């Protein structure tokens, strides 16, 4: 882990790191906020997964999460959204919803994506092992994300509930097996077998596996992607069938932007802090 950039923020440290990822077979950057309490000893962490076209810097610079994280003593771990670098496959047409910036937090099985696009294993294992070995962090983790990242947060925690204490999401892609973004990405990364897609579909996972973890989802009612791409009510129906602890809040007038995230990030941080304690 090499420090690329560092600032003092609300008495804590906002740090951007670079490291060589064995899982992704490339160099990766990620951001960390360490609250002031980390000076005294290990603190729990919230992992944040960003959405399409984003890097680790979108959340760290736009969400305004550090003030509350500093108050609560929460570290923020913010990975990039895909592998990057020379030789990493990208969409030939330069599409925003496939390739660089659009890893969808899956382990790709199809060429040419499978050489680098193993974001599921990276977020689940390699990155936590790295930061928990080298930074003052406990092994208590929560996970959250936005849009594609909300999809990733839900899938990772639903499949691995022992790794996290709570889940939240902003405008997640809740049912990718049944939306254009999901058809395109899962078809490219995983192939045409829809049984493979089901391993990365939060609504299908929740219906089949249930979930013992508390889940908070905020969705803007004025989100342009709501009906065609996000489908939060599929997640709600799955939670009802599984008797899961899902709170879905439809927020009137809010869209898909970071203004929406900044408006409710404090609620999510306090939600996770209550369970991380």
């Amino acid at each position: 882990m090499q420090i690329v950039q560092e600032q003092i923020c609300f008495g804590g440290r906002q740090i951007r790191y670079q490291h060589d990822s064995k899982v992704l077979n490339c160099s990766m950057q990620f951001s960390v906020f360490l609250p002031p309490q980390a000076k005294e000893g290990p603190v729990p962490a919230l992992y944040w997964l960003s959405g399409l076209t984003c890097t680790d810097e979108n959340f760290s610079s736009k969400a305004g999460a550090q003030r509350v994280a500093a108050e609560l003593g929460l570290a923020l771990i913010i990975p990039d959204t895909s592998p990057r670098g020379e030789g990493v496959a990208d969409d030939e047409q330069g599409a925003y919803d496939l390739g660089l910036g659009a890893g969808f937090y899956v382990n790709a099985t199809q060429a040419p994506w499978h050489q680098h696009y193993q974001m599921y294993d990276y977020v689940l294992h390699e990155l936590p092992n790295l930061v928990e070995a080298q930074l003052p962090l406990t092994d208590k983790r929560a996970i959250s994300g936005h849009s594609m990242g909300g999809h990733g947060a839900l899938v990772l925690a639903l499949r691995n509930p022992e790794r996290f204490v709570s889940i939240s999401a902003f405008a997640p892609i809740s049912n990718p097996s049944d939306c254009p973004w999901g058809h395109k990405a899962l078809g490219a990364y995983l192939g045409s077998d829809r049984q493979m897609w089901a391993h990365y579909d939060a609504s299908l996972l929740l219906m089949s596996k249930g979930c013992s973890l508390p889940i908070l989802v905020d969705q803007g009612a004025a989100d342009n992607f709501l009906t065609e791409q996000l489908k939060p009510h599929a997640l709600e129906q799955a939670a009802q069938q599984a008797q899961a602890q899902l709170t879905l809040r439809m927020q009137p007038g809010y869209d898909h932007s970071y203004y929406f995230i900044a408006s409710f990030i404090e609620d999510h941080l306090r939600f996770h802090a209550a369970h991380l304690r």
Side-chain angles (χ1 to χ4, degrees):
M1 287 170 52
Q2 298 176 329
I3 294 177
V4 176
Q5 189 175 358
E6 180 175 1
Q7 286 87 24
I8 300 298
C9 184
F10 292 101
R13 301 165 64 202
Q14 181 67 48
I15 316 167
R16 199 175 197 209
Y17 290 100
Q18 180 173 309
H19 77 110
D20 291 328
S21 169
K22 295 180 180 179
V23 169
L24 301 179
N25 193 27
C26 64
S27 177
M28 288 291 286
Q29 291 190 340
F30 64 93
S31 291
V32 174
F33 175 70
L34 290 176
Q37 295 86 339
K39 300 171 187 175
E40 308 300 325
V43 296
L46 172 66
Y47 285 74
W48 173 270
L49 307 185
S50 297
L52 289 166
T53 75
C54 291
T55 70
D56 54 297
E57 291 188 298
N58 289 77
F59 182 77
S60 62
S61 64
K62 294 181 179 180
Q66 292 91 340
R67 176 184 62 81
V68 180
E71 174 195 333
L72 298 172
L74 293 182
L76 304 173
I77 312 298
I78 314 160
D80 202 346
T81 48
S82 81
R84 297 182 191 269
E86 186 176 352
V88 174
D90 195 10
D91 181 71
E92 293 181 356
Q93 306 300 319
Y96 76 95
D97 53 359
L98 186 68
L100 299 185
F104 267 81
Y105 305 101
V106 305
N107 283 341
T109 60
Q110 304 298 301
W113 313 105
H114 65 291
Q115 286 189 310
H116 298 283
Y117 284 74
Q118 306 293 316
M119 288 296 294
Y120 179 89
D121 281 350
Y122 177 72
V123 175
L124 184 64
H125 295 300
E126 186 178 31
L127 184 59
N129 290 344
L130 181 69
V131 296
E132 288 173 13
Q134 300 197 41
L135 297 175
L137 301 174
T138 70
D139 61 357
K140 296 291 185 182
R141 311 174 200 93
I143 192 164
S144 185
H146 171 229
S147 193
M148 178 185 72
H151 141 78
L154 288 164
V155 166
L156 281 155
L158 290 172
R159 288 178 58 175
N160 305 276
E162 74 284 353
R163 298 278 294 174
F164 304 98
V165 302
S166 51
I167 319 166
S168 76
F170 290 80
I173 304 172
S174 297
N175 192 193
S177 296
D178 188 32
C179 77
W181 277 341
H183 287 182
K184 183 175 183 177
L186 299 183
Y189 297 142
L190 304 175
S192 59
D193 184 355
R194 285 177 173 257
Q195 291 184 343
M196 293 296 296
W197 296 14
H199 296 301
Y200 296 99
D201 187 308
S203 294
L204 298 181
L205 287 168
L206 190 54
M207 194 179 303
S208 63
K209 290 178 171 288
C211 183
S212 60
L213 302 179
I215 309 169
L216 172 62
V217 173
D218 271 313
Q219 172 63 61
D223 191 320
N224 290 338
F225 304 113
L226 176 59
T227 303
E228 184 180 29
Q229 302 283 16
L230 304 177
K231 301 182 181 294
H233 296 301
L235 187 71
E236 185 176 43
Q237 291 172 7
Q240 290 171 352
Q241 290 188 34
Q243 297 184 322
Q245 305 173 62
L246 169 66
T247 300
L248 171 62
R249 307 192 306 187
M250 298 298 297
Q251 302 292 358
Y254 284 90
D255 61 12
H256 201 70
S257 71
Y258 261 85
Y259 296 109
F260 165 54
I261 296 170
S263 298
F264 298 103
I265 191 63
E266 180 170 350
D267 291 355
H268 286 241
L269 293 174
R270 294 191 185 279
F271 165 78
H272 290 297
H275 296 286
L276 286 164
R277 291 196 188 99

